[in-house]
Amino acid sequence: MLLARREDRLRALADELGCEFDLCDVADRASVDAAAARVTSRHRAIRLLVNNAGIPGRAGFVGMEPERIEEVMRVNYLGAVWCLRAFLPALEASGRSDVVNIVSVAGTVALAPSGPYSASKHAELAFSRAASGELRGRGIHVHTVNPGFVETEGFPQSSILRSALLRRLVVGPEQVARHVVDVVERDKRETFVPAWYRAAAVAQAVAPGVVARLANRFGYRP
Ligand SMILES: NC(=O)c1ccc[n+]([C@@H]2O[C@H](COP(=O)([O-])OP(=O)(O)OC[C@H]3O[C@@H](n4cnc5c(N)ncnc54)[C@H](OP(=O)(O)O)[C@@H]3O)[C@@H](O)[C@H]2O)c1
């Protein structure tokens, strides 16, 4: 079951995969609740929820339009919260189910030129970690996946990153998709893809000053 906003893209992909789709704006709680009601009327129990919807925010807190700052928080953070809450009865109806939250390395490292995006992903990371503890006893296993740079429609990293070194780190979305299947099958609680990005999270915690200097030198162009 695919959920997003653009019907033409959903229809084409659903035809290719042989699956269902429905329209949903995760930033709008009423839209999420309505979509969940339609889905769960057809599928009483849901085994897996992947919270993947997210939008970029390539500007700082001062430069970005206030409306965009709000939208980034509504989609990247609250979208995952509303989806989990809306699908919770169907996830519990499975007896044992999984939720995968696609967060980001930016949820563990604060990048100044994309501060509002980093803040939304920090919030989503806190949500995902806390929900993992809150729901495991109810049979719902919450997995946090933190991708690094991935070349996609919304995040065309190869043309955005100004550092040739960072451009060499960009991976394809297929690698993230395979990783999601793997974390569910192996019941991993929190992972990075590729795995070595974990070093960035450790560096941020241990030496935030060094990370800030490196991020300013090699990070996104605002
Ligand atoms: N690419 C990277 O470098 C990278 C790195 C770390 C983490 N991530 C995270 O990975 C996730 C996927 O990103 P991506 O790179 O695949 O971006 P993408 O190519 O832009 O895909 C984003 C998807 O989210 C959907 N979406 C966006 N806003 C939505 C909304 N309000 N309601 C419902 N669906 C919405 C989009 O479909 P519609 O527009 O049709 O709604 C689209 O299918 C995001 O959470 C992103 O933050 C990406």
Side-chain angles (χ1 to χ4, degrees):
M1 168 65 72
L2 308 171
L3 293 175
R5 298 164 303 172
R6 287 171 296 173
E7 185 169 358
D8 55 330
R9 301 293 302 274
L10 285 167
R11 189 179 299 282
L13 186 57
D15 284 349
E16 185 185 329
L17 298 175
C19 69
E20 298 175 46
F21 73 89
D22 207 328
L23 298 180
C24 176
D25 180 351
V26 301
D28 176 353
R29 186 154 50 88
S31 170
V32 173
D33 288 344
R38 288 192 299 273
V39 171
T40 54
S41 70
R42 296 199 295 282
H43 306 279
R44 195 187 62 81
I46 289 180
R47 174 71 182 72
L48 171 66
L49 168 67
V50 181
N51 283 318
N52 175 67
I55 57 173
R58 290 192 196 94
F61 282 105
V62 177
M64 190 181 284
E65 290 296 320
E67 294 76 16
R68 181 67 177 182
I69 294 177
E70 289 174 345
E71 188 186 7
V72 164
M73 286 304 281
R74 273 201 300 273
V75 176
N76 295 356
Y77 164 47
L78 289 173
V81 178
W82 302 148
C83 286
L84 174 63
R85 289 172 60 108
F87 286 103
L88 194 58
L91 290 163
E92 284 197 295
S94 271
R96 162 72 169 81
S97 56
D98 295 279
V99 175
V100 179
N101 294 315
I102 308 296
V103 185
S104 176
V105 173
T108 68
V109 179
L111 299 170
S114 57
Y117 177 77
S118 285
S120 73
K121 289 293 174 177
H122 275 65
E124 190 187 4
L125 179 67
F127 152 70
S128 191
R129 286 173 171 169
S132 173
E134 190 177 346
L135 296 176
R136 195 156 270 241
R138 292 163 71 169
I140 301 170
H141 292 215
V142 178
H143 313 274
T144 304
V145 170
N146 297 314
F149 298 115
V150 187
E151 184 68 22
T152 62
E153 179 194 32
F155 296 74
Q157 304 289 18
S158 300
S159 53
I160 293 168
L161 294 170
R162 59 181 146 147
S163 153
L165 174 69
L166 289 186
R167 282 198 297 274
R168 279 206 291 276
L169 306 182
V170 177
V171 301
E174 301 78 12
Q175 187 169 341
V176 181
R178 280 193 300 272
H179 181 83
V180 167
V181 174
D182 188 58
V183 300
V184 171
E185 287 178 351
R186 297 167 61 195
D187 197 18
K188 295 272 193 182
R189 211 179 268 248
E190 183 172 331
T191 59
F192 290 76
V193 52
W196 49 261
Y197 272 106
R198 185 178 293 278
V202 173
Q204 169 80 79
V206 174
V210 174
V211 170
R213 280 195 292 280
L214 288 174
N216 284 346
R217 190 158 166 207
F218 296 115
Y220 284 109
R221 192 188 295 278

